[in-house]
Amino acid sequence: ALAAQLAEQAGLVNEVLDALDPRRRALITLRLVDEKTYPVIAQELGYASAETARQAFVEAQARLLVKLRARGLRPPGETLR
């Protein structure tokens, strides 16, 4: 049952990621999956600076979380208010 639930959640995450525009998707992937630093991300994606890449990541991550919450997926430990 747990494996099925995790597979379903992974599928939702992938669907939401696929719905993001390519640059935001790459930004999320480079930071969270590949664990790249902001200077590296800035260089790879053409941001003016590491700080600009960081700000773009914060915005992209917020969009991702809103979309995941809309699909009923909550981060571990988050409670409903």
Side-chain angles (χ1 to χ4, degrees):
L2 178 60
Q5 183 181 9
L6 291 174
E8 181 182 349
Q9 289 176 350
L12 282 174
V13 170
N14 285 328
E15 284 178 28
V16 171
L17 274 173
D18 287 345
L20 294 176
D21 68 78
R23 194 174 196 202
R24 284 190 179 108
R25 185 171 49 248
L27 183 58
I28 294 284
T29 301
L30 287 171
R31 184 69 181 150
L32 297 180
V33 177
D34 300 338
E35 299 182 342
K36 300 287 185 177
T37 63
Y38 293 116
V40 170
I41 292 169
Q43 184 176 18
E44 289 189 21
L45 296 182
Y47 287 101
S49 67
E51 178 58 19
T52 304
R54 186 195 68 76
Q55 290 172 356
F57 171 77
V58 169
E59 186 270 335
Q61 185 180 38
R63 282 181 183 258
L64 178 66
L65 289 173
V66 166
K67 290 177 182 285
L68 289 172
R69 286 183 181 117
R71 300 285 298 270
L73 194 59
R74 303 255 184 267
E78 181 180 274
T79 58
L80 297 175
R81 294 176 207 173

